[in-house]
Amino acid sequence: MRDFGLYIVITDPILDYESFCEICVREEVPMLQLREKRMRDKDLLLLTKRLKAATKGSNTKLIINDRADICLMAETDGLHLGSDDLPWQETLSLLPDKSIIGVSTHSVAEATNLIELCKSAHVVPKPDYMSFGPIYPTPAKAIPDAALGTGLLKQMIQIAPLPLIAIGGIFPFNLNEVLAAGARNIAMIRHFTRSREKAELTDKIRAVMTMIKEKTQ
């Protein structure tokens, strides 16, 4: 898998999910992850199916967080797994061949271990991408991980053999610092999900995608 640019995570958006997703599709956001940990299973499945219908045939890939069962039933484009979720090595065998799988890392040790595994010739298949963060402090998790900073981000990018996504506390005011560290894939959550109007979300997506494009091409 190649570097792709913007990776938006939807979690409890102010706009309704469908409108949010439709705008991402229209603006050709490459990767869109649905992350909802408090929703009932049935509701999550129905929502995921609606979002999958909205992204079908588009340039936007829909990724579901944590839930391999929802990934299979809703036929999403992929699955993102954290360190406390099912092991990615075993989960890969459950998914269709073309499914995208991503893995979270929240420390240098976790990232280094994953990178070494991915460099090993006998580990096949491998994840399609990894995330590394939080780069900056963020309240996105109930028990926040320590901020890692752009220095460590740069180190991990230099040795990662797969696309690495910078995540955590990233906003337009610090995005250039993250890009200057070598990041080519940027995950953002609150900057987009706090949008109250469709036009506001559209403008934010266009501005961030332009910033990424200008620094990475």
Side-chain angles (χ1 to χ4, degrees), residues 37-58:
K37 297 180 179 292
R38 294 176 292 181
M39 192 175 289
R40 294 188 309 170
D41 288 356
K42 180 179 180 181
D43 293 336
L44 179 59
L45 175 59
L46 292 174
L47 171 61
T48 308
K49 286 184 174 181
R50 294 197 300 272
L51 299 189
K52 175 55 185 174
T55 60
K56 188 175 181 178
S58 74

PDB file of all heavy atoms in Angstrom, residues 37-58:
ATOM      1  N   LYS A  37     -17.173   3.374  20.088  1.00  0.00           N
ATOM      2  CA  LYS A  37     -16.999   2.357  21.115  1.00  0.00           C
ATOM      3  C   LYS A  37     -18.203   2.227  22.045  1.00  0.00           C
ATOM      4  O   LYS A  37     -18.290   1.269  22.812  1.00  0.00           O
ATOM      5  CB  LYS A  37     -15.743   2.660  21.938  1.00  0.00           C
ATOM      6  CG  LYS A  37     -14.468   2.599  21.107  1.00  0.00           C
ATOM      7  CD  LYS A  37     -13.255   2.908  21.962  1.00  0.00           C
ATOM      8  CE  LYS A  37     -11.967   2.833  21.152  1.00  0.00           C
ATOM      9  NZ  LYS A  37     -11.656   1.455  20.724  1.00  0.00           N
ATOM     10  N   ARG A  38     -19.135   3.192  21.984  1.00  0.00           N
ATOM     11  CA  ARG A  38     -20.265   3.159  22.919  1.00  0.00           C
ATOM     12  C   ARG A  38     -21.591   2.805  22.253  1.00  0.00           C
ATOM     13  O   ARG A  38     -22.616   2.708  22.918  1.00  0.00           O
ATOM     14  CB  ARG A  38     -20.382   4.514  23.615  1.00  0.00           C
ATOM     15  CG  ARG A  38     -19.205   4.833  24.531  1.00  0.00           C
ATOM     16  CD  ARG A  38     -19.303   6.219  25.121  1.00  0.00           C
ATOM     17  NE  ARG A  38     -19.147   7.260  24.103  1.00  0.00           N
ATOM     18  CZ  ARG A  38     -19.178   8.553  24.352  1.00  0.00           C
ATOM     19  NH1 ARG A  38     -19.381   8.975  25.588  1.00  0.00           N
ATOM     20  NH2 ARG A  38     -19.025   9.434  23.376  1.00  0.00           N
ATOM     21  N   MET A  39     -21.584   2.599  20.972  1.00  0.00           N
ATOM     22  CA  MET A  39     -22.809   2.299  20.243  1.00  0.00           C
ATOM     23  C   MET A  39     -23.176   0.823  20.375  1.00  0.00           C
ATOM     24  O   MET A  39     -22.303  -0.049  20.416  1.00  0.00           O
ATOM     25  CB  MET A  39     -22.615   2.672  18.766  1.00  0.00           C
ATOM     26  CG  MET A  39     -23.878   2.686  17.943  1.00  0.00           C
ATOM     27  SD  MET A  39     -23.559   3.295  16.246  1.00  0.00           S
ATOM     28  CE  MET A  39     -23.248   5.030  16.559  1.00  0.00           C
ATOM     29  N   ARG A  40     -24.471   0.545  20.441  1.00  0.00           N
ATOM     30  CA  ARG A  40     -24.921  -0.844  20.495  1.00  0.00           C
ATOM     31  C   ARG A  40     -24.518  -1.564  19.215  1.00  0.00           C
ATOM     32  O   ARG A  40     -24.487  -0.971  18.135  1.00  0.00           O
ATOM     33  CB  ARG A  40     -26.444  -0.916  20.665  1.00  0.00           C
ATOM     34  CG  ARG A  40     -26.957  -0.380  21.990  1.00  0.00           C
ATOM     35  CD  ARG A  40     -28.440  -0.687  22.123  1.00  0.00           C
ATOM     36  NE  ARG A  40     -29.196  -0.254  20.951  1.00  0.00           N
ATOM     37  CZ  ARG A  40     -30.471  -0.577  20.731  1.00  0.00           C
ATOM     38  NH1 ARG A  40     -31.123  -1.342  21.593  1.00  0.00           N
ATOM     39  NH2 ARG A  40     -31.091  -0.134  19.635  1.00  0.00           N
ATOM     40  N   ASP A  41     -24.234  -2.858  19.349  1.00  0.00           N
ATOM     41  CA  ASP A  41     -23.739  -3.630  18.208  1.00  0.00           C
ATOM     42  C   ASP A  41     -24.664  -3.534  16.996  1.00  0.00           C
ATOM     43  O   ASP A  41     -24.208  -3.339  15.865  1.00  0.00           O
ATOM     44  CB  ASP A  41     -23.565  -5.102  18.594  1.00  0.00           C
ATOM     45  CG  ASP A  41     -22.382  -5.324  19.523  1.00  0.00           C
ATOM     46  OD1 ASP A  41     -21.653  -4.349  19.802  1.00  0.00           O
ATOM     47  OD2 ASP A  41     -22.184  -6.468  19.962  1.00  0.00           O
ATOM     48  N   LYS A  42     -25.959  -3.691  17.222  1.00  0.00           N
ATOM     49  CA  LYS A  42     -26.908  -3.657  16.115  1.00  0.00           C
ATOM     50  C   LYS A  42     -26.894  -2.302  15.423  1.00  0.00           C
ATOM     51  O   LYS A  42     -26.888  -2.218  14.185  1.00  0.00           O
ATOM     52  CB  LYS A  42     -28.320  -3.970  16.612  1.00  0.00           C
ATOM     53  CG  LYS A  42     -29.377  -3.965  15.513  1.00  0.00           C
ATOM     54  CD  LYS A  42     -30.749  -4.306  16.072  1.00  0.00           C
ATOM     55  CE  LYS A  42     -31.807  -4.291  14.974  1.00  0.00           C
ATOM     56  NZ  LYS A  42     -33.158  -4.609  15.527  1.00  0.00           N
ATOM     57  N   ASP A  43     -26.874  -1.243  16.220  1.00  0.00           N
ATOM     58  CA  ASP A  43     -26.858   0.106  15.648  1.00  0.00           C
ATOM     59  C   ASP A  43     -25.563   0.368  14.892  1.00  0.00           C
ATOM     60  O   ASP A  43     -25.569   1.001  13.830  1.00  0.00           O
ATOM     61  CB  ASP A  43     -27.027   1.152  16.756  1.00  0.00           C
ATOM     62  CG  ASP A  43     -28.412   1.079  17.400  1.00  0.00           C
ATOM     63  OD1 ASP A  43     -29.345   0.582  16.743  1.00  0.00           O
ATOM     64  OD2 ASP A  43     -28.548   1.521  18.553  1.00  0.00           O
ATOM     65  N   LEU A  44     -24.455  -0.136  15.427  1.00  0.00           N
ATOM     66  CA  LEU A  44     -23.168   0.051  14.768  1.00  0.00           C
ATOM     67  C   LEU A  44     -23.137  -0.672  13.427  1.00  0.00           C
ATOM     68  O   LEU A  44     -22.638  -0.134  12.430  1.00  0.00           O
ATOM     69  CB  LEU A  44     -22.035  -0.455  15.659  1.00  0.00           C
ATOM     70  CG  LEU A  44     -20.621  -0.339  15.078  1.00  0.00           C
ATOM     71  CD1 LEU A  44     -20.287   1.113  14.751  1.00  0.00           C
ATOM     72  CD2 LEU A  44     -19.600  -0.926  16.053  1.00  0.00           C
ATOM     73  N   LEU A  45     -23.690  -1.862  13.395  1.00  0.00           N
ATOM     74  CA  LEU A  45     -23.725  -2.609  12.137  1.00  0.00           C
ATOM     75  C   LEU A  45     -24.563  -1.884  11.090  1.00  0.00           C
ATOM     76  O   LEU A  45     -24.145  -1.738   9.931  1.00  0.00           O
ATOM     77  CB  LEU A  45     -24.286  -4.012  12.374  1.00  0.00           C
ATOM     78  CG  LEU A  45     -24.487  -4.871  11.117  1.00  0.00           C
ATOM     79  CD1 LEU A  45     -23.177  -5.071  10.376  1.00  0.00           C
ATOM     80  CD2 LEU A  45     -25.117  -6.210  11.488  1.00  0.00           C
ATOM     81  N   LEU A  46     -25.733  -1.402  11.485  1.00  0.00           N
ATOM     82  CA  LEU A  46     -26.605  -0.700  10.543  1.00  0.00           C
ATOM     83  C   LEU A  46     -25.948   0.584  10.044  1.00  0.00           C
ATOM     84  O   LEU A  46     -26.016   0.906   8.848  1.00  0.00           O
ATOM     85  CB  LEU A  46     -27.947  -0.390  11.203  1.00  0.00           C
ATOM     86  CG  LEU A  46     -28.834  -1.607  11.524  1.00  0.00           C
ATOM     87  CD1 LEU A  46     -30.064  -1.170  12.314  1.00  0.00           C
ATOM     88  CD2 LEU A  46     -29.242  -2.316  10.240  1.00  0.00           C
ATOM     89  N   LEU A  47     -25.316   1.310  10.945  1.00  0.00           N
ATOM     90  CA  LEU A  47     -24.623   2.540  10.555  1.00  0.00           C
ATOM     91  C   LEU A  47     -23.482   2.223   9.585  1.00  0.00           C
ATOM     92  O   LEU A  47     -23.325   2.893   8.563  1.00  0.00           O
ATOM     93  CB  LEU A  47     -24.076   3.252  11.792  1.00  0.00           C
ATOM     94  CG  LEU A  47     -23.148   4.439  11.523  1.00  0.00           C
ATOM     95  CD1 LEU A  47     -23.868   5.524  10.736  1.00  0.00           C
ATOM     96  CD2 LEU A  47     -22.576   4.982  12.830  1.00  0.00           C
ATOM     97  N   THR A  48     -22.710   1.212   9.898  1.00  0.00           N
ATOM     98  CA  THR A  48     -21.571   0.854   9.045  1.00  0.00           C
ATOM     99  C   THR A  48     -22.043   0.467   7.654  1.00  0.00           C
ATOM    100  O   THR A  48     -21.419   0.838   6.643  1.00  0.00           O
ATOM    101  CB  THR A  48     -20.765  -0.289   9.675  1.00  0.00           C
ATOM    102  OG1 THR A  48     -20.424   0.041  11.024  1.00  0.00           O
ATOM    103  CG2 THR A  48     -19.486  -0.550   8.892  1.00  0.00           C
ATOM    104  N   LYS A  49     -23.143  -0.248   7.564  1.00  0.00           N
ATOM    105  CA  LYS A  49     -23.685  -0.635   6.255  1.00  0.00           C
ATOM    106  C   LYS A  49     -24.118   0.592   5.460  1.00  0.00           C
ATOM    107  O   LYS A  49     -23.910   0.657   4.237  1.00  0.00           O
ATOM    108  CB  LYS A  49     -24.856  -1.601   6.430  1.00  0.00           C
ATOM    109  CG  LYS A  49     -24.434  -3.009   6.830  1.00  0.00           C
ATOM    110  CD  LYS A  49     -25.638  -3.946   6.884  1.00  0.00           C
ATOM    111  CE  LYS A  49     -25.212  -5.385   7.141  1.00  0.00           C
ATOM    112  NZ  LYS A  49     -26.358  -6.322   7.177  1.00  0.00           N
ATOM    113  N   ARG A  50     -24.696   1.576   6.143  1.00  0.00           N
ATOM    114  CA  ARG A  50     -25.109   2.796   5.439  1.00  0.00           C
ATOM    115  C   ARG A  50     -23.899   3.567   4.926  1.00  0.00           C
ATOM    116  O   ARG A  50     -23.903   4.073   3.803  1.00  0.00           O
ATOM    117  CB  ARG A  50     -25.948   3.687   6.355  1.00  0.00           C
ATOM    118  CG  ARG A  50     -27.300   3.088   6.746  1.00  0.00           C
ATOM    119  CD  ARG A  50     -28.247   4.138   7.287  1.00  0.00           C
ATOM    120  NE  ARG A  50     -27.754   4.798   8.467  1.00  0.00           N
ATOM    121  CZ  ARG A  50     -27.937   4.372   9.720  1.00  0.00           C
ATOM    122  NH1 ARG A  50     -28.614   3.237   9.932  1.00  0.00           N
ATOM    123  NH2 ARG A  50     -27.471   5.050  10.747  1.00  0.00           N
ATOM    124  N   LEU A  51     -22.867   3.640   5.737  1.00  0.00           N
ATOM    125  CA  LEU A  51     -21.669   4.354   5.310  1.00  0.00           C
ATOM    126  C   LEU A  51     -20.947   3.600   4.193  1.00  0.00           C
ATOM    127  O   LEU A  51     -20.396   4.217   3.277  1.00  0.00           O
ATOM    128  CB  LEU A  51     -20.725   4.570   6.499  1.00  0.00           C
ATOM    129  CG  LEU A  51     -21.269   5.403   7.663  1.00  0.00           C
ATOM    130  CD1 LEU A  51     -20.157   5.718   8.647  1.00  0.00           C
ATOM    131  CD2 LEU A  51     -21.945   6.676   7.186  1.00  0.00           C
ATOM    132  N   LYS A  52     -20.985   2.285   4.280  1.00  0.00           N
ATOM    133  CA  LYS A  52     -20.371   1.504   3.211  1.00  0.00           C
ATOM    134  C   LYS A  52     -21.102   1.721   1.890  1.00  0.00           C
ATOM    135  O   LYS A  52     -20.471   1.845   0.822  1.00  0.00           O
ATOM    136  CB  LYS A  52     -20.364   0.018   3.577  1.00  0.00           C
ATOM    137  CG  LYS A  52     -19.850  -0.903   2.466  1.00  0.00           C
ATOM    138  CD  LYS A  52     -18.465  -0.490   1.974  1.00  0.00           C
ATOM    139  CE  LYS A  52     -18.032  -1.341   0.789  1.00  0.00           C
ATOM    140  NZ  LYS A  52     -16.757  -0.879   0.205  1.00  0.00           N
ATOM    141  N   ALA A  53     -22.421   1.806   1.945  1.00  0.00           N
ATOM    142  CA  ALA A  53     -23.201   2.084   0.731  1.00  0.00           C
ATOM    143  C   ALA A  53     -22.830   3.441   0.155  1.00  0.00           C
ATOM    144  O   ALA A  53     -22.768   3.625  -1.071  1.00  0.00           O
ATOM    145  CB  ALA A  53     -24.693   2.018   1.039  1.00  0.00           C
ATOM    146  N   ALA A  54     -22.564   4.408   1.029  1.00  0.00           N
ATOM    147  CA  ALA A  54     -22.226   5.764   0.578  1.00  0.00           C
ATOM    148  C   ALA A  54     -20.833   5.834  -0.038  1.00  0.00           C
ATOM    149  O   ALA A  54     -20.570   6.659  -0.915  1.00  0.00           O
ATOM    150  CB  ALA A  54     -22.324   6.741   1.744  1.00  0.00           C
ATOM    151  N   THR A  55     -19.923   4.967   0.402  1.00  0.00           N
ATOM    152  CA  THR A  55     -18.548   5.002  -0.107  1.00  0.00           C
ATOM    153  C   THR A  55     -18.328   4.031  -1.264  1.00  0.00           C
ATOM    154  O   THR A  55     -17.307   4.116  -1.954  1.00  0.00           O
ATOM    155  CB  THR A  55     -17.542   4.659   1.004  1.00  0.00           C
ATOM    156  OG1 THR A  55     -17.816   3.339   1.503  1.00  0.00           O
ATOM    157  CG2 THR A  55     -17.618   5.655   2.146  1.00  0.00           C
ATOM    158  N   LYS A  56     -19.249   3.140  -1.482  1.00  0.00           N
ATOM    159  CA  LYS A  56     -19.070   2.112  -2.518  1.00  0.00           C
ATOM    160  C   LYS A  56     -18.814   2.744  -3.887  1.00  0.00           C
ATOM    161  O   LYS A  56     -19.519   3.644  -4.317  1.00  0.00           O
ATOM    162  CB  LYS A  56     -20.304   1.217  -2.588  1.00  0.00           C
ATOM    163  CG  LYS A  56     -20.125   0.008  -3.503  1.00  0.00           C
ATOM    164  CD  LYS A  56     -21.341  -0.904  -3.441  1.00  0.00           C
ATOM    165  CE  LYS A  56     -21.150  -2.126  -4.334  1.00  0.00           C
ATOM    166  NZ  LYS A  56     -22.312  -3.056  -4.263  1.00  0.00           N
ATOM    167  N   GLY A  57     -17.784   2.258  -4.561  1.00  0.00           N
ATOM    168  CA  GLY A  57     -17.460   2.753  -5.892  1.00  0.00           C
ATOM    169  C   GLY A  57     -16.747   4.087  -5.918  1.00  0.00           C
ATOM    170  O   GLY A  57     -16.480   4.629  -6.991  1.00  0.00           O
ATOM    171  N   SER A  58     -16.416   4.630  -4.742  1.00  0.00           N
ATOM    172  CA  SER A  58     -15.755   5.933  -4.671  1.00  0.00           C
ATOM    173  C   SER A  58     -14.258   5.756  -4.413  1.00  0.00           C
ATOM    174  O   SER A  58     -13.756   4.638  -4.275  1.00  0.00           O
ATOM    175  CB  SER A  58     -16.370   6.782  -3.554  1.00  0.00           C
ATOM    176  OG  SER A  58     -15.945   6.312  -2.277  1.00  0.00           O
TER     177      SER A  58
END
